[in-house]
Amino acid sequence: MGQPVRDYLLTLCVTAAVTYLLTGPVRKFAIAVGAMPAIRARDVHREPTPRLGGIAMFGGLCAGLIVAAHLYNLDWIFKSSSEPRALLSGAALIWLIGVLDDKFEIDALIKLGGQMIAAAVMVIQGLTILWLPIPGIGTVALTQWQGTLLTVALVVITINAVNFVDGLDGLAAGTVCIASAAFFLYTYRLWYGHMIEAAAPATLFTAILMGMCLGFLPHNMHPARIFMGDSGSMLIGLVLAAGAISVTGQVDPDTMKLFAGSEREATQAMLPVFIPLLLPLTIIAIPAADLVLAIVRRTWNGKSPFAADRGHLHHRLLEIGHSHSRAVLIMYFWSALIAFGAVGYSAHSTSLWIVLVVMGLSALGLALLLMPRFTPQAPHWAERFLPPRYRRSRGGGGGESSALARKAQQGPSAAQMGQGAHGLQERAQAVVVGVSGVNGATAVGTRSHFSDRGTADSPR
């Protein structure tokens, strides 16, 4: 059992490394082709930032599939199943649509049609839902049209839920990474715990998805150097949906043989253990709730459900006083609580302590949610392990930011006083631009001057 785990880890690491290494050149390419739209009213960032990060993520996906196809314990998946080929076909189509949208801003209905076509491509190649375990009835076999409609609906909902949550630096990639980690534990347990080979493709998909997100996150954390754009958000949403569809439609509940009795009794008894449809939905509960609330809010106000606004959950967190990074961490916390809570309950549904732990962590999360002025800081001994831009500047420490702060406190020198206030103003602007360049927040050239749009717009 140890060897397959190492193969999955190797696939994950290769996917993450390729994604990480490709993101830098992709950022330069996005700047060169002008895939860097102007600031919109609903945006949180204050400077133009290049998109097209999905190009690097798609490269990581291809690298992960290629490596897995040449590993001894994983190559049989490609020989016995058409699901990896179906995933790659659908991912290529949705990625191409996302790249065009990042560059040319295509219409929302066109994107919706492209999402449905990508889902249909996967259905044609065998990645579809064949049956469902329904409590009180048993295992229900679906017709071809029923399975197709359900598959397309799940793909479209998951893609748009992930796309909707992509509003803060690192939010979508981190949330999907947490979701895929929990999903990996679930599918790995089905595969190696119950020896269900049909769960192996979903296990591979979730491992690759984790690598894609982990490789992109260092470039996308606040302040982000590049955004994944629709080419990335729709891509990872489709991969997450593909894993859910694979383990839902291809795994027969009767093969687990955990309970005796009739098929109806067995399905009722093992529903907490086998929750293939409910688990993916609980994993994306936060973005899905945001999606539903956004549609209701826009329709209630007489607007199109596809009209963008500033009413998403992450916008609300910024409005009540949370900083940019803390809002992202809060969303991480709730995503992890829901995802791993569902996985834990599916494995030990009779254990009361799981419910108590989830309730306790929920109370802790609510307390942190209502304390926007609380600023967590890493201890001084741990700062050496953090990137320089996340370290606290101290008066006695070195570094460019500390030096600039000391120069500002010391006041102008005699030579500077002779040059007049106009020269000081120019040098002050140059210092601001230089610091922005160090952080990587400015894409090219000098910082553009944008007027403040309120508290929620400025990442504090």
Side-chain angles (χ1 to χ4, degrees):
M1 185 176 297
Q3 186 67 33
V5 173
R6 288 195 295 268
D7 290 343
Y8 283 120
L9 290 178
L10 177 60
T11 304
L12 186 153
C13 292
V14 170
T15 304
V18 172
T19 303
Y20 177 82
L21 295 176
L22 286 179
T23 304
V26 167
R27 178 177 180 271
K28 296 180 179 179
F29 171 76
I31 295 174
V33 300
M36 193 169 53
I39 303 298
R40 300 165 295 184
R42 69 179 186 270
D43 290 334
V44 175
H45 61 282
R46 302 182 64 186
E47 297 173 349
T49 305
R51 295 183 179 180
L52 294 178
I55 297 179
M57 304 181 82
F58 183 74
L61 170 65
C62 295
L65 290 175
I66 292 175
V67 169
H70 291 82
L71 294 178
Y72 175 76
N73 292 284
L74 300 180
D75 60 347
W76 66 269
I77 298 177
F78 297 82
K79 299 176 182 178
S80 61
S81 175
S82 62
E83 294 183 13
R85 183 175 65 253
L87 170 66
L88 184 59
S89 301
L93 180 57
I94 202 69
W95 168 77
L96 180 60
I97 296 173
V99 169
L100 295 177
D101 181 68
D102 289 341
K103 181 62 178 71
F104 302 106
E105 296 283 345
I106 63 178
D107 187 73
L109 292 178
I110 297 179
K111 288 194 297 183
L112 179 62
Q115 295 167 7
M116 299 175 67
I117 294 175
V121 168
M122 294 194 301
V123 170
I124 293 175
Q125 301 188 59
L127 189 57
T128 182
I129 299 176
L130 301 178
W131 47 65
L132 290 176
I134 299 179
I137 299 178
T139 302
V140 177
L142 302 178
T143 64
Q144 182 178 359
W145 281 106
Q146 290 174 340
T148 300
L149 292 177
L150 185 58
T151 301
V152 172
L154 183 60
V155 170
V156 172
I157 290 175
T158 306
I159 288 176
N160 286 280
V162 175
N163 193 20
F164 269 53
V165 82
D166 185 22
L168 296 179
D169 297 348
L171 181 57
T175 302
V176 174
C177 184
I178 293 172
S180 56
F183 205 4
F184 176 83
L185 296 178
Y186 176 76
T187 55
Y188 187 84
R189 176 174 175 267
L190 288 181
W191 169 209
Y192 287 101
H194 300 285
M195 301 305 295
I196 300 178
E197 295 184 356
T203 309
L204 175 62
F205 296 165
T206 52
I208 293 177
L209 183 57
M210 276 192 289
M212 295 166 59
C213 296
L214 290 175
F216 186 74
L217 265 176
H219 300 273
N220 191 233
M221 294 300 293
H222 181 70
R225 294 173 53 84
I226 185 174
F227 295 152
M228 68 172 63
D230 283 359
S231 60
S233 61
M234 293 197 300
L235 175 63
I236 60 178
L238 182 135
V239 177
L240 180 61
I245 293 168
S246 175
V247 75
T248 299
Q250 309 299 326
V251 176
D252 188 354
D254 293 335
T255 59
M256 299 180 69
K257 299 179 181 179
L258 296 179
F259 306 96
S262 64
E263 181 182 0
R264 177 177 177 178
E265 294 175 352
T267 304
Q268 286 180 328
M270 66 184 174
L271 183 63
V273 179
F274 188 81
I275 49 175
L277 262 187
L278 298 180
L279 181 60
L281 295 180
T282 55
I283 285 175
I284 61 172
I286 298 298
D290 192 17
L291 172 63
V292 174
L293 292 176
I295 294 176
V296 173
R297 179 179 64 254
R298 295 165 184 173
T299 306
W300 182 267
N301 294 330
K303 301 180 180 179
S304 170
F306 301 100
D309 58 13
R310 290 184 52 81
H312 293 296
L313 296 178
H314 50 268
H315 290 134
R316 300 294 181 89
L317 290 175
L318 295 178
E319 289 176 356
I320 66 177
H322 290 285
S323 66
H324 190 294
S325 300
R326 192 159 57 248
V328 172
L329 292 177
I330 290 176
M331 298 287 282
Y332 284 177
F333 173 83
W334 285 108
S335 298
L337 180 62
I338 295 174
F340 287 97
V343 171
Y345 183 74
S346 68
H348 303 283
S349 58
T350 59
S351 299
L352 180 62
W353 66 269
I354 295 180
V355 179
L356 296 178
V357 169
V358 171
M359 292 177 60
L361 292 177
S362 300
L364 177 62
L366 290 175
L368 295 176
L369 185 64
L370 299 176
M371 293 182 358
R373 301 185 183 279
F374 172 72
T375 305
Q377 294 181 344
H380 294 292
W381 60 266
E383 289 188 0
R384 68 185 65 179
F385 304 104
L386 299 177
R389 57 178 176 172
Y390 298 117
R391 299 173 186 172
R392 290 174 291 182
S393 59
R394 296 184 293 271
E400 182 177 358
S401 59
S402 300
L404 293 175
R406 288 195 299 271
K407 289 182 180 179
Q409 294 176 359
Q410 292 173 0
S413 62
Q416 291 173 339
M417 293 177 63
Q419 294 179 359
H422 181 70
L424 288 176
Q425 184 178 3
E426 291 182 351
R427 280 190 298 276
Q429 293 178 354
V431 168
V432 172
V433 174
V435 175
S436 177
V438 172
N439 290 336
T442 302
V444 289
T446 59
R447 179 190 298 263
S448 301
H449 298 279
F450 297 96
S451 58
D452 294 336
R453 295 184 300 274
T455 305
D457 293 277
S458 56
R460 295 172 297 176

